[in-house]
Every structure is written in C-alpha cells, then in structure tokens.
Amino acid sequence: KMNILLYSPLEQFNIVRFAFADAAEPWQFGFQDPATPVMQGLINLHHDIFAFMVFILLFVVWMLARTVQKFHHTNNTVASKIIHGTEIEIAWTSIPTIILMIIA
C-alpha cells in the first residue's frame, strides 16, 4: 500500500502507462532501439569497434592459413636458418598496441 504513494495520480489509476522506448524481446539479438542520443553513440561505438575486430580476425586467419600453407613440411623440406625475427616481433607487438591506443 505504501507503493501507491510513490506513483503519480495518472499512474495510480492506469490512465497513462506506456514506455517511450522499445521493449526487449525474448531471445533478442542486438540492441534495443535507442531512446537517447548517448545510447545511439554507444551503439555506433560498438559497431565501429566490431568492424575493427572483424578486420583483425580476418587478417589473423589469413596470416595463420598462409603460415600453415607456406611452412608445411611438404613445401619446406629444408629448415630455415633464421633464429630470431626481430622485425616481425616488433611489428606484431606494436601494431595491436597502436590499434588499442586508437580505440581508447
């Protein structure tokens, strides 16, 4: 009975009872429709970061497939004499760092 005092007079008698934003649906995939510009900005940020993630995923899968194909034991019967790959170590450490700094 105390909760009735917390509502406005129109809500107490169910005269005005509706939501201004979309409601969630069962098994919904994705975001609800944004009700504020801030939420719209968050959704846009999510989509931008997701696009970067897809690009990085495709690049990593491509590099992995190329590495497996190029260094397969039937294609590369003689072992390489390269012991240290300083350039590639610097590249795969600094490129993700730069990407994370851009996102932040």
Side-chain angles (χ1 to χ4, degrees), residues 34-83:
T36 63
V38 173
M39 186 60 195
Q40 182 64 44
L42 288 173
I43 291 173
N44 290 338
L45 176 67
H46 170 266
H47 294 329
D48 292 342
I49 291 174
F50 191 75
F52 277 112
M53 287 175 41
V54 168
F55 175 73
I56 291 169
L57 174 71
L58 291 175
F59 179 73
V60 167
V61 167
W62 177 76
M63 288 292 291
L64 183 62
R66 290 272 304 170
T67 303
V68 168
Q69 183 266 333
K70 184 174 173 100
F71 296 107
H72 193 264
H73 68 88
T74 57
N75 295 337
N76 193 14
T77 56
V78 178
S80 176
K81 302 242 185 223
I82 298 174
I83 296 173

